[in-house]
Amino acid sequence: MLEHSGRGAFIAERIGLPRFRAKLRQTGNGKLRAAFLGGSITEGAGASEAESASWRALTGQYLQDTYSEQQFEFINAGVGGTNSTLGAHRFEEHVLHGGAIDLLFVEFSVNDGEDRTESVRGMEGIVRKCRRLAPEADICFVYTAAPKNLTSPLPFNIAVHEEVAGHYGIPSVNFALRIYEGTQTGEIDWSLLAPDGYHPQDAGHALYAGYMREYLTSALGEEKNERAVRVVWPIAPLDPGNYEFATMLPYAAAGYSAEFRTAELLPDEPLMNWRFSTEHRAAELPGAEFSWSATGQSAGVLLLYGPDSGIFEYSVNGEPFTQINLFDDWCLNAYRPIPALFPVRATRGPLAVVIRSTESKDARSKGTGLRVLKLLVN
């Protein structure tokens, strides 16, 4: 549960941000890196200018203005439409590409679905991966508003994330609770701040940034009284199948049949939820096949899925092929990365993955295309 503090119940302080706070008072650190890992709200959707008016950008500006003697690097690892499962897989490529970080904000309560197990695996995987690869970094969970997060003071998705936060002593800042309380008293009209219910316009992003400033002022302030809470590693995982060792491999790590070609989306081909390279391996004809081997507990693939994508099938370790159809209403209008994660196994071990296109397609699709953007392994 969220803990009550002097500023209200929307902040759960737990162990706070002691490492980052100490670094702010030291010299010779070089640039301090703060990363923002999340979905479209963290990426900046809804703001008039993502790099200046989003809650992420405003939070970075607050840190730079408040600690002007320090140099900062702020990493935008927000990607629209992505959940904590894919967040764990893309952590190394999108968060640690420039080296170790000092502070990590994690925001996935809107994009995580109703599968408690999957949400725990994703959020726990991010925490454990960060602790292993960037052990000097502090972590803060952030919960943003959406219709499902405004149903009660502690809705399902936030409650699940709080399980992980509580287990690891991670502080959390619940923007959604403040919005919920404001809508209950009539002080906030969320339909004006976020007309689509999800993506705040500039005033909503500024409100979020103000809530974060309240927390950071306390957690990083000179008069902060250190809490007695200590979390000693190693900590047993909540779910042994969590995505601590998840990663994205380049598509070139697989072997492809002759039907595949290297491709990129053309400028006139619509793309959403991806601002990175669209170079991929593509095949249009049924029967195209690719395969790769790895060691892990689960595997999957990140496909560039869109108007002409078909139904594909996969097999792991020689098991019977299983078909997957990822086509949805969004595919009618644009391509976007969609992950397909295969079942998590009880233990880590060799994984031999085979994926091939089929003659089948969704009734709404224009083709049976298969576009491979990344390979996923945990």
Side-chain angles (χ1 to χ4, degrees), residues 244-315:
E244 176 183 353
F245 298 98
T247 192
M248 293 194 304
L249 302 176
Y251 69 77
Y256 295 85
S257 64
E259 295 87 348
F260 279 93
R261 60 185 171 82
T262 301
E264 288 188 74
L265 288 186
L266 299 174
D268 61 347
E269 292 183 293
L271 173 68
M272 62 184 293
N273 293 344
W274 197 249
R275 61 181 189 279
F276 309 100
S277 171
T278 63
E279 184 177 297
H280 62 282
R281 294 285 277 179
E284 287 75 33
L285 297 176
E289 180 178 295
F290 68 100
S291 61
W292 81 95
S293 297
T295 298
Q297 198 169 0
S298 61
V301 62
L302 186 64
L303 298 178
L304 198 55
Y305 221 76
D308 60 356
S309 296
I311 294 172
F312 67 96
E313 58 186 9
Y314 75 91
S315 170

Side-chain angles (χ1 to χ4, degrees), residues 48-69:
S48 60
E49 173 49 60
E51 298 311 312
S52 61
S54 67
W55 80 265
R56 167 184 54 79
L58 293 170
T59 298
Q61 190 61 54
Y62 164 77
L63 289 171
Q64 186 64 78
D65 291 345
T66 304
Y67 302 96
S68 57
E69 71 284 359

Side-chain angles (χ1 to χ4, degrees), residues 97-355:
H97 58 273
I101 58 171
D102 303 289
L103 179 61
L104 176 68
F105 296 97
V106 185
E107 175 269 313
F108 285 114
S109 68
V110 170
N111 286 353
D112 274 4
E114 302 308 305
D115 185 334
R116 176 194 169 277
T117 297
E118 194 65 15
S119 291
V120 168
R121 286 174 174 172
M123 294 298 284
E124 181 171 52
I126 291 168
V127 171
R128 296 182 71 88
K129 181 186 285 284
C130 186
R131 284 283 181 261
R132 180 168 53 84
L133 299 180
E136 293 304 309
D138 285 325
I139 305 171
C140 177
F141 284 4
V142 180
Y143 311 134
T144 53
K148 68 179 182 181
N149 282 352
L150 297 177
T151 58
S152 69
L154 192 63
F156 173 79
N157 292 83
I158 292 175
V160 173
H161 287 198
E162 280 292 278
E163 288 184 54
V164 179
H167 185 68
Y168 291 98
I170 304 297
S172 59
V173 184
N174 193 342
F175 299 169
L177 179 59
R178 288 289 287 269
I179 300 298
Y180 172 80
E181 292 174 341
T183 59
Q184 296 300 299
T185 62
E187 296 175 11
I188 293 176
D189 186 339
W190 187 237
S191 66
L192 293 179
L193 294 174
D196 68 355
Y198 298 86
H199 304 103
Q201 296 178 342
D202 286 1
H205 274 287
L207 200 61
Y208 281 174
Y211 298 156
M212 182 55 72
R213 281 196 302 274
E214 289 186 50
Y215 171 60
L216 293 177
T217 298
S218 169
L220 304 176
E222 292 287 355
E223 301 303 319
K224 175 70 179 174
N225 293 319
E226 298 296 345
R227 299 186 57 161
V229 178
R230 292 291 181 269
V231 175
V232 181
W233 283 80
I235 298 174
L238 290 168
D239 189 323
N242 72 80
Y243 298 119
E244 176 183 353
F245 298 98
T247 192
M248 293 194 304
L249 302 176
Y251 69 77
Y256 295 85
S257 64
E259 295 87 348
F260 279 93
R261 60 185 171 82
T262 301
E264 288 188 74
L265 288 186
L266 299 174
D268 61 347
E269 292 183 293
L271 173 68
M272 62 184 293
N273 293 344
W274 197 249
R275 61 181 189 279
F276 309 100
S277 171
T278 63
E279 184 177 297
H280 62 282
R281 294 285 277 179
E284 287 75 33
L285 297 176
E289 180 178 295
F290 68 100
S291 61
W292 81 95
S293 297
T295 298
Q297 198 169 0
S298 61
V301 62
L302 186 64
L303 298 178
L304 198 55
Y305 221 76
D308 60 356
S309 296
I311 294 172
F312 67 96
E313 58 186 9
Y314 75 91
S315 170
V316 179
N317 292 345
E319 296 166 356
F321 279 85
T322 300
Q323 287 197 353
I324 296 181
N325 180 12
L326 298 176
F327 205 95
D328 58 18
D329 289 343
W330 295 102
C331 294
L332 295 170
N333 302 314
Y335 291 97
R336 78 186 195 276
I338 304 182
L341 274 297
F342 311 146
V344 175
R345 294 167 181 261
T347 59
R348 296 177 59 81
L351 299 171
V353 181
V354 179
I355 296 177

